[in-house]
Amino acid sequence: MATLNPLLSRNQQRTICSQLGNVKLKLLYKASVHGFTGAAFHQRCDKQAPTVSVGYNTTGYVFGGYASQPFTQTGQWVNDNQAFLFSFTGGKLQKYPCTNAPHALLMDGNSGPYFGNALALVHSNQPVTHSAPGNYYNFTAAEMHGNDLKLTECEVYQVEESTELEKPWRTVVWESGKRTELMDTIKTYKPTVSSVPQARVLLIGQVGAGKSSFFNSINSVFRGHVTSQAIAGSSSTSLTTQFRSYSVKAGREGKPLPIILCDTMGLEDNKGAGLDVEDISSILKGHMPNCYQFNPAAPLHAESHGFRKSPAVKDKIHCVTYVIDASKVSIMPPKLEEKMEVIRRKVNLLGIPQLVLLTKVDEACPLVKDDLRNIYKSGYIKDLMQDVSVRVGVPLSCVIPVKNYSGELELDLNCDILLLSAVVQMLRFVDNYFDDLSDRLSSTESHD
């Protein structure tokens, strides 16, 4: 089944949710996909409650109703004292409460959602609206739907509890002293292998997941203001076409930090598009030169210009970080999951530790959008992190949520703390890599 994409905008969803408490909407039925019939609606929506039903007409009106009771096909009236109708005018929600609760809903097998005798979407198995304001709900037809009864779409969403946990399941100290402490930890870090001046962390992820934005965000924290050096933005194909390793400086004139973030072309789910898996091998082993221009059709090979034939430990990747957009986890294309699985196996064989950065957490959960400090109190984000951990095949402790800077002009303490914590976690994983490396070296020496 193709992924259902809501027509209701993020802002409209938030506006409706704000009327209903700490909830989120899950799309159950979309008439253009499932059919403009009562049967199609009832098949997907019966016994699912509460619901929000939305109609869209040819003149661009968005309107509908909320029902706390489940729909059925009994032909009976159902009492619902919480039901209301609504319409959006200029982004604002206009609410019309039910004035006759015992007749709030009508269970009609040949129609979609039916509110009193006042409003029905997909009426009599047709892409039309039945509209009769007055006895059950008071609204003016012109305001509600502009007297346009032709439907271009009808959607029904299930209202789900967005669980706020009693207490955070990971502890974070949200204080400026903590930010300073994290920055100092990063500035004073030294790789345990003396021949390595800087830890190299490779960022891998889908186009638009926020790899370049993460580098820009870390750079911003250390600069003290929002800055963008790596090309970042929203595009369907990768904006990063070169292999770039970025060194973050501590302040404008400061010395480089002991971590290099390597940015790659975005992963795409099509074959021959985006980052080639063979190129990832070259990067991991340290063969790929900086500013190498990617060519998805032809991966780097030993005769390519700048190919490092015998890379040192300092040229190799010491930690791999997958960057995943929290708002797109559920619609990750299967081909992309397969590509990541192949990459993960290669990384495992080379003994390189792996982390997941879950970006755009504020877009995925209204609770976190309201306050970033709710990140570990959001049951939804916790579920999402567990889902990602299973999909990518890393333990939950290796999944780190962050919010990159994108449209902001000023730095935010909470944002900084999550970003810096992610870098500290990367450095801990780099240490694991070096520990394994020295264990391997000492065991081979003892066998010699």
Side-chain angles (χ1 to χ4, degrees), residues 69-145:
Q69 297 302 311
F71 286 102
T72 59
Q73 301 176 57
T74 58
Q76 309 289 316
W77 294 102
V78 166
N79 188 341
D80 188 344
N81 59 6
Q82 291 172 46
F84 62 84
L85 297 180
F86 63 84
S87 63
F88 279 101
T89 41
K92 287 205 168 54
L93 186 79
Q94 179 72 33
K95 258 174 91 169
Y96 311 95
C98 179
T99 54
N100 185 340
H103 295 89
L105 306 171
L106 181 59
M107 302 298 149
D108 180 2
N110 295 320
S111 291
Y114 211 134
F115 293 86
N117 200 8
L119 187 80
L121 304 172
V122 187
H123 188 239
S124 301
N125 297 317
Q126 298 295 316
V128 295
T129 305
H130 162 75
S131 173
N135 291 338
Y136 306 96
Y137 297 85
N138 290 321
F139 60 90
T140 58
E143 201 173 60
M144 174 75 88
H145 44 62

Side-chain angles (χ1 to χ4, degrees), residues 217-239:
S217 299
I218 297 299
N219 212 10
S220 300
V221 179
F222 281 94
R223 280 289 172 93
H225 60 86
V226 177
T227 171
S228 59
Q229 179 184 340
I231 306 168
S234 48
S235 162
S236 60
T237 52
S238 186
L239 292 167

Side-chain angles (χ1 to χ4, degrees), residues 40 51 97 128 272 350 358-359 366 432:
T51 53
V128 295
L350 294 167
L358 194 63
T359 59
N432 293 349

Side-chain angles (χ1 to χ4, degrees), residues 4-10 12-13 27 30 32 54-57 61-62 152-155 157:
L4 290 185
N5 290 319
L7 189 54
L8 204 58
S9 75
R10 274 245 162 84
Q12 289 169 331
Q13 289 186 48
L27 187 53
K30 194 176 175 81
S32 61
V54 192
Y56 307 81
N57 64 20
Y61 282 79
V62 179
T152 54
E153 184 64 279
C154 170
E155 294 181 327
Y157 295 83

